[in-house]
Amino acid sequence: MELNNLIKINKKKIRVGRGIGSGKGKTSSRGHKGQKSRSGVAIKSFEGGQMPLYRRLPKRGFKTLSKNNTAILNLSRIQSIYENNKDKLTNTLDLKTLKDKKFIKKKYLQLKILGTGELKIKVDISAHHASKQAKEKIEKAGGKLNILKK
């Protein structure tokens, strides 16, 4: 014998609208008239006149569709990184080394160099974006700027 045959649960489906003798005839437990008595009606988030949950909760924050995954570094920040960590760094700088040495967070996928501040050391930088001013200042200091393609 199968296990399914041992347990038989006979729960009959209630058939509404099948005559007065069934107890669920005529209006089929829907009351009289009105929107809720009609078929195909579901009043979403209606709480009987009580202020709905989505209106009771405060509106907070905003999620952008385009996440900002670009780390922005000024030349002044690069200069201070090299001054404070002379022994740890080589003369090449890219996103991977910045992440490994924990100068920027791991969530960043791209690197952008901006030209605020002065650069006094020779550095070869690989970045995804850079401003014209940054490029001029890096080359003036004797370094190279390599723009990476996506």
Side-chain angles (χ1 to χ4, degrees), residues 69-88:
N69 289 334
T70 305
I72 296 172
L73 280 182
N74 278 309
L75 293 179
S76 57
R77 174 94 172 104
I78 294 170
Q79 180 68 34
S80 66
I81 285 171
Y82 270 92
E83 286 173 2
N84 298 333
N85 304 286
K86 289 175 187 169
D87 54 333
K88 292 181 184 176

Side-chain angles (χ1 to χ4, degrees), residues 69-71 95 99 105-111 128:
N69 289 334
T70 305
L95 189 66
K99 282 182 184 179
K105 291 180 183 174
K106 289 186 176 182
K107 69 174 185 175
Y108 294 118
L109 302 176
Q110 293 187 338
L111 180 63
H128 295 85

Side-chain angles (χ1 to χ4, degrees), residues 30-87:
R30 287 176 176 261
H32 292 276
K33 298 184 181 176
Q35 186 180 10
K36 291 183 199 166
S37 70
R38 318 282 186 218
S39 66
V41 174
I43 303 170
K44 288 181 186 139
S45 70
F46 183 69
E47 298 180 22
Q50 174 177 301
M51 187 65 68
L53 181 69
Y54 72 91
R55 289 186 60 195
R56 274 180 276 165
L57 298 174
K59 291 192 281 187
R60 288 221 19 160
F62 175 77
K63 294 234 190 240
T64 62
L65 295 172
S66 59
K67 287 184 178 154
N68 188 8
N69 289 334
T70 305
I72 296 172
L73 280 182
N74 278 309
L75 293 179
S76 57
R77 174 94 172 104
I78 294 170
Q79 180 68 34
S80 66
I81 285 171
Y82 270 92
E83 286 173 2
N84 298 333
N85 304 286
K86 289 175 187 169
D87 54 333

Side-chain angles (χ1 to χ4, degrees), residues 103-124:
F103 294 121
I104 60 171
K105 291 180 183 174
K106 289 186 176 182
K107 69 174 185 175
Y108 294 118
L109 302 176
Q110 293 187 338
L111 180 63
K112 185 173 188 175
I113 308 295
L114 298 180
T116 306
E118 288 298 318
L119 193 65
K120 299 171 187 140
I121 48 170
K122 182 182 174 184
V123 186
D124 296 339

